[in-house]
Amino acid sequence: MNKGIMFVLLFIIAVPTVSADTVSLDESDPPRVAFIMPTFSNTAYGVAFYNFYRLHADDNQTYITTDLQYLNVTVMAGWSWSKGLDQFLKATIDVMPQLFEGGKWTVIDERNVALGALFFENGSRAYDVVVCGFIEYVTAREYADYKRFVATGGTLVLNDACNFLAEVAYYPCANGSGYLSLVNGHGWAFNGTHAWRSVYHRWPEENRNWVGSNYWRWWGGTHYDGFDANTTHPISEFICSQYGAHVSGHYGAHEENKIENMTNTRIIGYWHFVDWAEAPNELVAAYQHNYLQGSVFHSGIMASEVLCKDAFLASFLIGAIRTGLGLDASHDTLYEEMYPAITTTTTTTTTTTTSATITTSNTTIGTTSSTSVSDGTDPSVIVLFGTLAGAAVLGLVVVVTRRKQ
């Protein structure tokens, strides 16, 4: 097994521009894997929805007509609580061609997903695998397209919990980033003129059916002390072979999902509670749930927050993607530069260049040899319309910063 490979590579991630028209992709040689930048949840957690929630937490009025500006806000691109996923991608950008055995990958803004970017104009899937981090807020079309993507044979990897909790509306703007409005969920509904109390989970039954789980809770502190990889799932067996049946980790708590549908569900590993009296009746676990022709892989937790600290979570993510590409879940653990505690040897090999092209209805953006990728420090400036977001990566050192809510 190749245990430690370091590359120095200049690479570009193509991000399609956002257009009010239907997004179309070049079918000639598209990327097979897409990582979604969770722009809508990033926007909601800015100076937006949570300001309103806090201001009216104890408001008993039937209809609220004040502070509504916080429920209709300018979109701000960024990774929100999934910043660790962005950092992982930048730090492992050189080894991805090997991990995916030549399969191309790209990062696309969630706004494009809301405009139909998961499918070609002929209705076929544009990707084999889609990876999402923290996507708490999604549009109705976006939600339907994720479900359709899985139903038609795609693999959806949900790296973070609290997915698909609330519905929003996205209003594109030709000369700007567009606007985002709350529609329903997280305890509130909004119609543009007033807000009122409503459901917390927007699609609980649908999530139970095709995702296999629902958001369970938010909490702080340390409630988990590791991960039990003790099942017969191929990803579990690989994690066990590399790190042991019980893996200590850095994840203490934040937000988790609980499995509510064991039909066509296989457990990959269980999150180990410090005090099992705190555990729900349902499982908090990483799993694979098959729905019609496709599959959903879910970490069960906010895995992006510790992805750059815990190598076994990288193996879960890469194993899920490889499975979706029709490959064996096992793979060379090429992440030693990020996890020095498991470093064995380091060698150098010839660099390669990966390219991807994405076309919108009126603009084509193609990658060429070298451009830069944003360092991810400010999530509000990662994607600019009509431009390529990029930054030259000349080393594989990751500094993980965890934003507090």
Side-chain angles (χ1 to χ4, degrees):
M1 179 175 292
N2 192 341
K3 274 295 188 181
I5 297 180
M6 179 178 290
F7 296 84
V8 176
L9 175 66
L10 298 180
F11 184 87
I12 182 171
I13 300 174
V15 181
T17 55
V18 176
S19 166
D21 302 322
T22 300
V23 175
S24 60
L25 303 174
D26 180 8
E27 297 186 50
S28 60
D29 189 23
R32 298 184 64 191
V33 182
F35 294 85
I36 311 302
M37 179 189 296
T39 288
F40 296 155
S41 294
N42 186 73
T43 300
Y45 276 82
V47 184
F49 298 175
Y50 289 81
N51 291 57
F52 179 87
Y53 299 160
R54 285 188 288 268
L55 288 169
H56 297 279
D58 300 319
D59 199 325
N60 294 320
Q61 298 181 72
T62 302
Y63 297 108
I64 297 172
T65 58
T66 58
D67 304 309
L68 299 183
Q69 71 274 15
Y70 293 122
L71 298 181
N72 184 33
V73 295
T74 302
V75 171
M76 183 176 68
W79 290 85
S80 186
W81 291 101
S82 297
K83 189 174 182 179
L85 177 59
D86 175 45
Q87 292 171 325
F88 177 79
L89 293 178
K90 290 178 172 65
T92 60
I93 203 168
D94 56 329
V95 298
M96 287 298 184
Q98 286 182 267
L99 292 172
F100 300 159
E101 297 190 15
K104 297 180 185 178
W105 64 279
T106 189
V107 173
I108 61 177
D109 192 295
E110 187 177 10
R111 286 169 288 186
N112 290 304
V113 180
L115 297 175
L118 297 186
F119 298 92
F120 292 121
E121 291 182 341
N122 65 9
S124 63
R125 286 182 291 104
Y127 307 99
D128 294 320
V129 181
V130 167
V131 181
C132 296
F134 183 62
I135 50 170
E136 180 175 346
Y137 295 88
V138 294
T139 69
R141 176 181 179 178
E142 181 186 4
Y143 182 82
D145 278 359
Y146 284 128
K147 182 178 179 180
R148 174 185 164 202
F149 176 83
V150 175
T152 56
T155 295
L156 178 65
V157 182
L158 297 173
N159 202 54
D160 293 316
C162 197
N163 45 274
F164 310 138
L165 184 71
E167 179 185 347
V168 293
Y170 169 55
Y171 303 98
C173 180
N175 298 317
S177 57
Y179 298 92
L180 189 76
S181 294
L182 178 70
V183 175
N184 198 9
H186 208 288
W188 292 95
F190 175 58
N191 65 0
T193 62
H194 58 274
W196 62 97
R197 299 283 181 178
S198 186
V199 297
Y200 200 83
H201 293 78
R202 173 62 179 87
W203 296 283
E205 294 301 325
E206 294 91 334
N207 289 346
R208 184 176 296 114
N209 179 32
W210 74 274
V211 178
S213 69
N214 269 299
Y215 168 65
W216 173 40
R217 67 169 300 168
W218 172 92
W219 51 356
T222 300
H223 300 275
Y224 305 92
D225 61 4
F227 182 78
D228 293 330
N230 55 4
T231 77
T232 59
H233 192 286
I235 297 177
S236 183
E237 291 179 335
F238 178 73
I239 291 175
C240 182
S241 71
Q242 297 295 306
Y243 314 103
H246 177 78
V247 192
S248 297
H250 290 83
Y251 188 79
H254 184 180
E255 292 183 332
E256 290 85 53
N257 272 38
K258 58 180 182 178
I259 299 176
E260 297 181 345
N261 182 358
M262 288 301 298
T263 302
N264 297 319
T265 297
R266 295 185 66 185
I267 302 299
I268 296 172
Y270 304 90
W271 290 101
H272 193 273
F273 282 85
V274 175
D275 180 1
W276 282 99
E278 297 180 331
N281 293 329
E282 298 85 356
L283 295 173
V284 178
Y287 67 90
Q288 175 184 350
H289 177 72
N290 296 329
Y291 174 71
L292 296 181
Q293 300 178 46
S295 295
V296 175
F297 287 82
H298 203 305
S299 73
I301 64 166
M302 299 289 283
S304 292
E305 295 181 2
V306 292
L307 184 59
C308 295
K309 293 182 179 180
D310 293 334
F312 75 93
L313 283 173
S315 289
F316 162 79
L317 176 60
I318 298 301
I321 295 171
R322 286 177 59 87
T323 301
L325 293 174
L327 305 171
D328 192 283
S330 61
H331 55 277
D332 287 353
T333 53
L334 305 177
Y335 340 114
E336 284 81 357
E337 295 80 9
M338 299 179 60
Y339 310 103
I342 61 170
T343 300
T344 53
T345 59
T346 301
T347 58
T348 304
T349 190
T350 306
T351 62
T352 57
T353 301
T354 303
S355 63
T357 301
I358 296 182
T359 308
T360 65
S361 56
N362 46 22
T363 306
T364 300
I365 303 173
T367 67
T368 52
S369 57
S370 63
T371 298
S372 58
V373 178
S374 165
D375 66 5
T377 303
D378 183 354
S380 68
V381 296
I382 295 189
V383 177
L384 298 177
F385 295 119
T387 66
L388 291 175
V393 178
L394 298 177
L396 300 176
V397 179
V398 172
V399 178
V400 178
T401 57
R402 179 175 178 177
R403 277 187 357 186
K404 300 296 183 182
Q405 189 173 17

